Amino acid sequence: MTDRVTQARTFLKGSAALAIGLLAAPLYAQEKPADHGDTPAAAYQPSMTTLGELQVEIPGRRADDPIMSAEEFQQATKIYFERCAGCHGVLRKGATGKPLTPDITRELGYDHLHSFITYGSPAGMPNWGTSGDLTEEQVDMMARYVLLDPPTPPEFGMPEMLATWKVMVAPEDRPTEKMNDIEIDNLMSVTLRDSGEIALIDGDTHEILQIIKTGYAVHISRISASGRYLFVIGRDAKVVMIDLWMETPTPVAEIKMGTEARSIETSKFEGYEDKYAIAGAYWPPQFVIMDGATLEPLKIVSTRGNLYDEQVYHPEPRVASILGSHFKPEFIVNVKETGKILMVDYTDLVNLKTTEIAAERFLHDGGLDSTHRYFMVAANARNKIAVVDTKEGKLTALVDTEGQTPHPGRGANFTHPDYGPVWATSHLGDETVAMIGTDPEGHPDQAWKLVQSFDALGGGSLFIKTHPNSNHLYVDATLNPESDVSSSVAVFTISDMKAGEAPEYVTLPIVEWAGIADGQPRVVQPEFNKQGDEVWFSVWNAKDKESAIVVVDDKTLELKHVIKDPRLITPTGKFNVFNTGKDVY
Amino acid sequence: MTDRVTQARTFLKGSAALAIGLLAAPLYAQEKPADHGDTPAAAYQPSMTTLGELQVEIPGRRADDPIMSAEEFQQATKIYFERCAGCHGVLRKGATGKPLTPDITRELGYDHLHSFITYGSPAGMPNWGTSGDLTEEQVDMMARYVLLDPPTPPEFGMPEMLATWKVMVAPEDRPTEKMNDIEIDNLMSVTLRDSGEIALIDGDTHEILQIIKTGYAVHISRISASGRYLFVIGRDAKVVMIDLWMETPTPVAEIKMGTEARSIETSKFEGYEDKYAIAGAYWPPQFVIMDGATLEPLKIVSTRGNLYDEQVYHPEPRVASILGSHFKPEFIVNVKETGKILMVDYTDLVNLKTTEIAAERFLHDGGLDSTHRYFMVAANARNKIAVVDTKEGKLTALVDTEGQTPHPGRGANFTHPDYGPVWATSHLGDETVAMIGTDPEGHPDQAWKLVQSFDALGGGSLFIKTHPNSNHLYVDATLNPESDVSSSVAVFTISDMKAGEAPEYVTLPIVEWAGIADGQPRVVQPEFNKQGDEVWFSVWNAKDKESAIVVVDDKTLELKHVIKDPRLITPTGKFNVFNTGKDVY
């Protein structure tokens, strides 16, 4: 424990003010700010720090601010951005995590914050201190940091994007036909999270064809309508576009479109195949429509605006998932904090038509129903699925999943023997799977209702998956605290399901099959090959430990193959080119 | 001159640093900040000040900040908001006026700022010091104030609006038919700027029927499609809705929809008559769609976003004018700083469709062409008129007016003997009138082109006007520095106009006709009665001096009547119910 912390605790223990928890911050303020000298500077010099390559202005300080050196502030800003911003937001307005603005943190007090950061909470806050992810000094620093105003990262507009935009191979220098023997439709693009790469793996031979350098922690891969171009986006908002027709699939263009991002998609409507790409950022809260051949940024749209329900302004409504409509020349852009689904018409970027659908707050990920007409998206912290009719551009329904924090990925479409066509999601916060009817014509009684909720392996599920050619439904439990749960996957047999009966499942010991004894790898994201007869699982271990991809025969549920390779570092998401591009799930 | 100013000037005179103009601010910083004590406060206490009824947080201070007491900061914030924000923006990002963020003001230095505020500039900055509008102490205070970060005023969302919303007479308690003998269609709603009122004047008898208390400095009056409801909005964003069917026209509802505002409009499309009202704010940058019978706020939309051209984020894109389309169920919302024209479809507020037209920056005011299909709006600081096809929802053209700062009001539509249908605007910055062809069918060579530019009385014009039944075009010169110019109006005879020839005009000595000797009143805004045979002018004097409205016979150009009344304090805009409601101009 640092002297400073000891001092704070001692002070608080002896103080009657402990009960109101307000005194930790002023204690520090009795020292002199380390980053402001006595003598005034000769010119205007805001206190600056850096965040990666970005300059960040330290907001003005108050007499009662806790003391942080410029160096500490910079370190804390970096840690906050990497570890905390995902849940609490860059401006600390809260989303999955609680708001952490100084009005709130100063009420909580230093001691409370220190303890929270150290030990975490059952509600989902990680135990950064006891897990060893943060040192004692870092925990102290972060507890002081969140007592200060959050610095606002700089904007990232057209000049910044253009400065990062590179076309490595111009469209006219690219082949006019496929120059390789790769079965592109069955290629798997696999995120190698901690190495900032993707692996392209042949879906037929299971061979790693190539490792390609990308942005940090690629969130997803998407494929152009023609199947030729593969787009990946890192959490650092770097977009890399790969031409799969070249003799060796090669990045042909790249751009950084923000400071933090999650989503990329391409135009899929007839007549607009391969014409546009779109990426959505967490910071700044915006999306950009780009040329589909070069990634040239064409149109940047800010998502700042009002909460759909309370109609108060939110400074940081982040773009979660984006999907290309099959029914209209539109992108479906999900704005998390404000709970709005934007149908962005890309036929005319000068006169840009958008339908802003008031849905539900905390929109995250989702997918289309089997007809591709309806978009189902989780409003995760509200335990709801919003259903949008992409043909009519209207909200069709809000369905309560009766579970905690639905996390569907794209979800799973299948025909239930009794309920007919349904779409299902698993949950981060509990073990349930929610099935929602998606056939308003054939099964109007079930349509857009929770028809059944049943249990899978356990909480902490990230993905659920099936395929039109499969009779199985796979549910992972990646973030489950029990290693025997997080290392397995549950499989349900669709044809055995019955209305009103909890379906049974079998458990596949994926990590055991991978034969990895070192570390505590988690199983994440079932993904089908194109034919729908194999399902692949990532066995996701620590960066310095062996990981693998386990291929299971969907018919027999038996192990078919284990892909191991020293280059396969922290594999997470896998994206089959055909299934991803055609929205087959 | 205050000691502080003397001190600064003396210092600067003797300093080699004078040339770089950077040293004025640090001089003050050698003193101790007056509003931050030595001892830390016991709890989180941001420095707060008030702005009217609002709480404003003083942003953090830096060691080299100039010294202002909390009281001074509060006074300066108020002065800035009332006097400076209109041109420079609340966040000082600039619009009609230059940007005044500290990075710029500290480069300029205290001395330069002090002199600029005192003496003004030919480019349009008023001489606040020498005019006596600000005292020497206030000039000093403002020069120091703009060296500091601008405080961000609070948001004004749904909870704030609801707190100000009042329905004085519920719809069910209002008459079902007109209960008075007023010829409503020929009523004039006259802004009494400095008394925070409007006057309702009978267009036939010239009698003042009523004075109604409204928000501060009513910017415009608008009328519902049926002609029953009159809506006014003050610069303080207070909307007052008056029922003209009641025995005595009476306010039936009111709301405040922001901190500063300019625009109000009502839904005009068939089937939506009187259904919605919409108001646009300068701060926060937003608009709100309200129930047309009660002003209940239904949908608030933020206009924060990216500049249409450079595509960088702007935190304060203010809503300038709004117009109800006759061709579609849409509002046309002009966003000044970002240069975007929003076509907002009001048929479905849950699934809100908007077409965002990238037009030109600094959109201000405008009107429809004679067919009501095309909307012509000034991008004033860019000397352009943007033309929007309201039927197709597209930008049709950008026309350079070849004048300085077009300021059309709604503009003037007439049929030029040679050029056919044209729309004309005068200019704030020079004496020219620009005519733009508006008949793509009959006169395709002239359509959306500047067909002619000719001179009127002088610069400083605010409004130009004609009427379908008139052969005359009236152009004021309200803000012209010469009193003989600003007290008169120029009249052109439309049938005498010839292609390629500068038309001649006659000058009507409106102030002289008003018989007002005291003060230096200006003539502002020609407005026709319903029949189009009378044109009314405001003779706008100081608040404590006599003003008048002068009524001129449009056929003979002779004085017909002078309306004088002690209650007629600072009359400016006049809005004929029929012409305003039906977009006749």
Side-chain angles (χ1 to χ4, degrees):
Chain A
M1 199 180 279
T2 66
D3 281 0
R4 194 165 279 162
V5 175
T6 317
Q7 197 184 6
R9 295 227 166 126
T10 309
F11 175 84
L12 285 163
K13 265 185 199 145
S15 166
L18 178 62
I20 57 167
L22 283 171
L23 284 178
L27 186 68
Y28 297 120
Q30 292 171 11
E31 294 174 36
K32 202 164 221 344
D35 55 342
H36 277 115
D38 265 333
T39 38
Y44 177 61
Q45 287 185 320
S47 309
M48 301 297 286
T49 184
T50 54
L51 177 60
E53 69 269 57
L54 300 170
Q55 290 287 309
V56 179
E57 186 177 333
I58 303 178
R61 321 207 41 158
R62 304 193 186 85
D64 56 354
D65 282 347
I67 296 307
M68 297 195 80
S69 70
E71 194 194 338
E72 280 183 318
F73 192 90
Q74 181 172 341
Q75 284 172 16
T77 299
K78 188 165 182 292
I79 291 172
Y80 183 85
F81 202 70
E82 286 173 7
R83 308 278 199 168
C84 321
C87 288
H88 297 284
V90 168
L91 301 180
R92 299 200 216 128
K93 294 275 179 182
T96 318
K98 293 224 164 75
L100 289 176
T101 41
D103 53 329
I104 292 161
T105 54
R106 295 203 182 193
E107 287 267 346
L108 295 171
Y110 169 89
D111 224 39
H112 180 96
L113 295 164
H114 187 279
S115 153
F116 225 79
I117 298 168
T118 305
Y119 301 106
S121 84
M125 171 77 172
N127 51 334
W128 297 107
T130 52
S131 70
D133 284 317
L134 297 183
T135 65
E136 182 72 47
E137 287 71 26
Q138 286 175 324
V139 170
D140 161 55
M141 187 170 74
M142 295 313 291
R144 284 180 286 136
Y145 178 74
V146 295
L147 290 166
L148 291 169
D149 275 331
T152 301
E155 297 299 325
F156 203 96
M158 187 54 81
E160 291 79 11
M161 287 192 201
L162 287 175
T164 68
W165 175 47
K166 281 181 215 156
V167 179
M168 285 81 84
V169 183
E172 58 271 25
D173 299 329
R174 296 178 202 159
T176 52
E177 54 184 37
K178 189 156 84 80
M179 303 298 283
N180 57 48
D181 300 329
I182 302 165
E183 175 57 33
I184 288 179
D185 271 356
N186 203 18
L187 209 56
M188 291 277 192
S189 174
V190 180
T191 297
L192 303 179
R193 193 183 183 288
D194 292 356
S195 68
E197 294 169 331
I198 58 155
L200 294 182
I201 304 182
D202 189 302
D204 296 322
T205 66
H206 305 152
E207 246 179 86
I208 298 179
L209 300 179
Q210 227 169 315
I211 303 283
I212 293 172
K213 201 75 205 157
T214 61
Y216 170 72
V218 162
H219 195 69
I220 53 169
S221 295
R222 288 290 182 264
I223 192 80
S224 73
S226 74
R228 171 176 184 168
Y229 291 112
L230 180 72
F231 297 83
V232 297
I233 189 159
R235 288 175 74 129
D236 57 1
K238 184 171 172 179
V239 178
V240 176
M241 173 183 175
I242 296 153
D243 184 356
L244 299 178
W245 278 13
M246 291 173 81
E247 205 172 322
T248 305
T250 304
V252 291
E254 64 174 49
I255 193 169
K256 206 165 134 58
M257 52 68 66
T259 313
E260 198 191 358
R262 293 291 186 279
S263 50
I264 178 97
E265 179 58 303
T266 70
S267 53
K268 290 186 180 159
F269 189 69
E270 205 188 324
Y272 291 90
E273 295 93 341
D274 294 21
K275 190 165 172 59
Y276 293 120
I278 180 174
Y282 266 25
W283 187 267
Q286 65 189 15
F287 61 86
V288 57
I289 298 175
M290 299 166 285
D291 182 274
T294 64
L295 293 181
E296 180 186 0
L298 303 173
K299 186 90 183 182
I300 304 171
V301 179
S302 171
T303 52
R304 277 147 165 134
N306 287 27
L307 303 180
Y308 92 94
D309 48 358
E310 295 171 17
Q311 301 211 43
V312 298
Y313 179 70
H314 195 291
E316 191 185 351
R318 303 181 288 183
V319 176
S321 52
I322 302 180
L323 204 136
S325 171
H326 296 257
F327 274 81
K328 283 194 171 180
E330 290 182 340
F331 292 123
I332 306 167
V333 177
N334 295 283
V335 186
K336 189 187 279 270
E337 279 73 9
T338 47
K340 293 173 177 175
I341 301 170
L342 310 180
M343 314 292 283
V344 181
D345 182 323
Y346 47 69
T347 56
D348 184 350
L349 300 186
V350 173
N351 306 288
L352 190 74
K353 281 192 182 56
T354 303
T355 305
E356 181 191 286
I357 299 175
E360 181 53 283
R361 285 162 74 177
F362 311 113
L363 296 172
H364 192 69
D365 202 0
L368 297 169
D369 79 311
S370 59
T371 69
H372 288 177
R373 173 169 170 175
Y374 296 95
F375 175 61
M376 327 274 294
V377 59
N380 60 18
R382 292 285 172 97
N383 306 325
K384 293 222 167 54
I385 300 295
V387 184
V388 168
D389 182 345
T390 68
K391 194 174 167 191
E392 299 294 331
K394 279 184 198 298
L395 184 70
T396 298
L398 280 175
V399 186
D400 196 315
T401 68
E402 295 180 13
Q404 287 298 314
T405 322
H407 190 284
R410 322 294 296 267
N413 287 297
F414 54 95
T415 303
H416 187 281
D418 295 325
Y419 299 128
V422 296
W423 177 93
T425 180
S426 55
H427 292 79
L428 252 174
D430 65 29
E431 66 282 9
T432 64
V433 171
M435 285 196 307
I436 295 168
T438 60
D439 182 22
E441 301 290 317
H443 297 77
D445 290 351
Q446 279 77 37
W448 323 129
K449 288 180 190 145
L450 176 74
V451 293
Q452 198 183 352
S453 171
F454 55 85
D455 290 356
L457 270 185
S461 176
L462 289 178
F463 297 101
I464 184 170
K465 188 77 77 173
T466 186
H467 185 280
N469 297 343
S470 168
N471 189 31
H472 290 131
L473 176 70
Y474 298 83
V475 186
D476 68 17
T478 312
L479 300 182
N480 196 285
E482 305 294 326
S483 66
D484 58 332
V485 176
S486 68
S487 63
S488 304
V489 73
V491 191
F492 296 87
T493 300
I494 293 167
S495 58
D496 289 349
M497 293 181 174
K498 284 192 178 62
E501 277 183 29
E504 292 185 2
Y505 59 86
V506 296
T507 304
L508 307 185
I510 303 292
V511 170
E512 194 186 311
W513 285 354
I516 294 175
D518 192 21
Q520 208 178 88
R522 296 167 185 274
V523 174
V524 65
Q525 206 237 359
E527 177 80 358
F528 275 88
N529 65 348
K530 182 192 172 192
Q531 296 81 355
D533 57 13
E534 279 181 5
V535 59
W536 297 30
F537 299 89
S538 297
V539 176
W540 171 26
N541 213 339
K543 189 179 176 178
D544 55 355
K545 296 198 162 54
E546 190 179 47
S547 290
I549 289 172
V550 168
V551 180
V552 172
D553 185 306
D554 175 65
K555 289 280 172 295
T556 65
L557 297 185
E558 281 170 8
L559 174 66
K560 192 165 175 183
H561 187 70
V562 177
I563 307 173
K564 285 191 186 178
D565 192 292
R567 297 171 296 173
L568 217 54
I569 298 161
T570 59
T572 52
K574 300 163 299 301
F575 302 87
N576 176 270
V577 161
F578 184 85
N579 294 339
T580 301
K582 305 293 181 198
D583 288 289
V584 178
Y585 35 79
Chain B
M1 200 177 282
T2 66
D3 280 358
R4 193 165 277 164
V5 175
T6 318
Q7 196 183 7
R9 296 226 165 130
T10 310
F11 176 82
L12 285 163
K13 267 184 201 148
S15 166
L18 179 61
I20 57 167
L22 283 172
L23 285 178
L27 186 70
Y28 298 122
Q30 292 169 14
E31 293 175 38
K32 203 161 219 348
D35 54 340
H36 278 115
D38 266 333
T39 38
Y44 177 61
Q45 286 185 320
S47 310
M48 299 299 285
T49 184
T50 53
L51 177 62
E53 69 269 52
L54 301 170
Q55 289 287 307
V56 178
E57 186 175 334
I58 301 178
R61 323 210 38 159
R62 303 190 185 88
D64 57 354
D65 282 349
I67 297 306
M68 297 196 79
S69 69
E71 193 194 339
E72 280 184 317
F73 192 91
Q74 180 172 341
Q75 284 172 13
T77 299
K78 188 165 182 289
I79 291 173
Y80 182 87
F81 201 71
E82 286 174 6
R83 307 279 199 168
C84 320
C87 288
H88 298 284
V90 168
L91 301 180
R92 301 201 215 127
K93 294 277 179 182
T96 318
K98 294 224 164 74
L100 290 177
T101 42
D103 53 328
I104 292 162
T105 54
R106 295 204 180 193
E107 286 268 347
L108 296 171
Y110 169 88
D111 224 40
H112 179 97
L113 295 165
H114 186 279
S115 153
F116 224 80
I117 298 168
T118 306
Y119 301 107
S121 83
M125 171 76 173
N127 52 336
W128 297 108
T130 53
S131 70
D133 283 317
L134 296 184
T135 65
E136 182 72 47
E137 287 71 24
Q138 285 174 324
V139 170
D140 160 56
M141 187 169 75
M142 295 312 292
R144 283 180 288 135
Y145 178 74
V146 294
L147 290 166
L148 292 170
D149 275 331
T152 302
E155 297 299 326
F156 203 96
M158 187 54 81
E160 291 79 10
M161 287 191 201
L162 287 174
T164 68
W165 174 47
K166 282 181 216 158
V167 178
M168 286 83 82
V169 184
E172 58 270 25
D173 299 329
R174 296 176 201 161
T176 52
E177 55 184 37
K178 189 156 84 82
M179 303 298 283
N180 57 49
D181 300 330
I182 302 165
E183 175 57 33
I184 287 179
D185 271 356
N186 203 19
L187 208 56
M188 291 277 192
S189 173
V190 179
T191 297
L192 305 179
R193 193 183 183 288
D194 292 356
S195 68
E197 294 169 331
I198 57 157
L200 293 182
I201 304 183
D202 188 303
D204 296 323
T205 64
H206 306 151
E207 246 179 86
I208 299 178
L209 300 179
Q210 228 170 313
I211 303 283
I212 293 174
K213 202 76 203 155
T214 61
Y216 170 72
V218 162
H219 194 69
I220 52 169
S221 296
R222 289 289 182 265
I223 192 81
S224 73
S226 73
R228 172 176 184 169
Y229 291 111
L230 179 72
F231 297 83
V232 297
I233 189 160
R235 289 175 74 128
D236 56 1
K238 184 172 173 179
V239 178
V240 176
M241 174 182 174
I242 297 152
D243 184 356
L244 300 177
W245 279 13
M246 291 173 80
E247 204 171 323
T248 304
T250 303
V252 290
E254 66 174 46
I255 193 170
K256 204 164 137 57
M257 52 69 65
T259 313
E260 199 191 357
R262 294 289 186 280
S263 48
I264 179 97
E265 180 57 304
T266 70
S267 54
K268 289 184 179 163
F269 189 69
E270 205 188 323
Y272 291 89
E273 297 92 341
D274 295 22
K275 188 164 173 59
Y276 294 119
I278 180 175
Y282 266 24
W283 188 266
Q286 66 187 16
F287 62 85
V288 57
I289 298 175
M290 300 165 285
D291 183 273
T294 63
L295 293 180
E296 181 186 0
L298 302 174
K299 185 92 184 180
I300 303 173
V301 179
S302 170
T303 53
R304 277 147 165 134
N306 287 27
L307 303 180
Y308 91 95
D309 48 358
E310 296 171 17
Q311 301 210 42
V312 298
Y313 179 71
H314 195 292
E316 191 186 351
R318 304 181 286 184
V319 176
S321 51
I322 302 179
L323 203 135
S325 171
H326 296 257
F327 273 80
K328 283 194 170 180
E330 291 181 339
F331 292 122
I332 306 167
V333 177
N334 295 285
V335 186
K336 189 187 279 271
E337 279 74 9
T338 48
K340 293 173 176 175
I341 301 169
L342 310 180
M343 314 292 282
V344 182
D345 182 322
Y346 48 69
T347 56
D348 184 349
L349 301 186
V350 173
N351 306 287
L352 190 73
K353 280 193 183 57
T354 303
T355 304
E356 180 191 285
I357 299 174
E360 182 54 284
R361 285 162 74 177
F362 311 114
L363 296 171
H364 192 71
D365 202 0
L368 298 168
D369 79 312
S370 59
T371 69
H372 287 177
R373 173 169 171 176
Y374 296 95
F375 175 61
M376 327 275 292
V377 58
N380 61 17
R382 291 285 172 98
N383 306 323
K384 293 220 166 54
I385 300 295
V387 184
V388 168
D389 182 345
T390 67
K391 195 173 165 193
E392 300 294 331
K394 277 182 198 300
L395 184 70
T396 297
L398 279 175
V399 186
D400 195 317
T401 67
E402 295 180 12
Q404 287 298 314
T405 321
H407 191 284
R410 322 295 296 265
N413 286 297
F414 55 95
T415 302
H416 185 282
D418 295 325
Y419 299 128
V422 296
W423 176 93
T425 180
S426 55
H427 292 80
L428 252 174
D430 66 28
E431 66 281 10
T432 64
V433 172
M435 285 196 307
I436 295 168
T438 60
D439 183 21
E441 301 290 317
H443 297 77
D445 291 351
Q446 279 77 39
W448 323 129
K449 288 178 190 145
L450 176 74
V451 294
Q452 199 182 350
S453 170
F454 57 83
D455 290 356
L457 270 184
S461 175
L462 289 178
F463 296 102
I464 185 170
K465 189 76 79 172
T466 186
H467 185 279
N469 297 343
S470 168
N471 189 31
H472 289 131
L473 176 69
Y474 298 83
V475 186
D476 68 18
T478 312
L479 299 182
N480 196 284
E482 305 294 327
S483 67
D484 58 332
V485 176
S486 69
S487 64
S488 303
V489 74
V491 192
F492 296 86
T493 300
I494 292 167
S495 57
D496 289 348
M497 291 180 176
K498 284 190 178 64
E501 276 184 28
E504 292 185 1
Y505 59 85
V506 296
T507 305
L508 307 185
I510 303 293
V511 169
E512 194 185 311
W513 284 354
I516 294 176
D518 191 21
Q520 207 179 87
R522 297 167 184 275
V523 174
V524 65
Q525 208 238 0
E527 176 81 357
F528 274 88
N529 64 350
K530 182 192 171 191
Q531 297 80 356
D533 57 13
E534 279 181 5
V535 58
W536 296 30
F537 299 90
S538 296
V539 175
W540 172 24
N541 213 340
K543 188 178 175 176
D544 55 355
K545 295 197 162 55
E546 190 179 48
S547 290
I549 288 173
V550 169
V551 180
V552 172
D553 185 306
D554 175 64
K555 289 280 172 294
T556 63
L557 298 185
E558 281 170 8
L559 174 66
K560 192 163 173 184
H561 187 69
V562 177
I563 308 174
K564 285 191 185 177
D565 192 290
R567 297 171 294 173
L568 216 55
I569 297 161
T570 60
T572 53
K574 301 165 298 300
F575 302 86
N576 176 272
V577 161
F578 183 85
N579 295 339
T580 301
K582 304 293 181 199
D583 288 290
V584 178
Y585 38 79

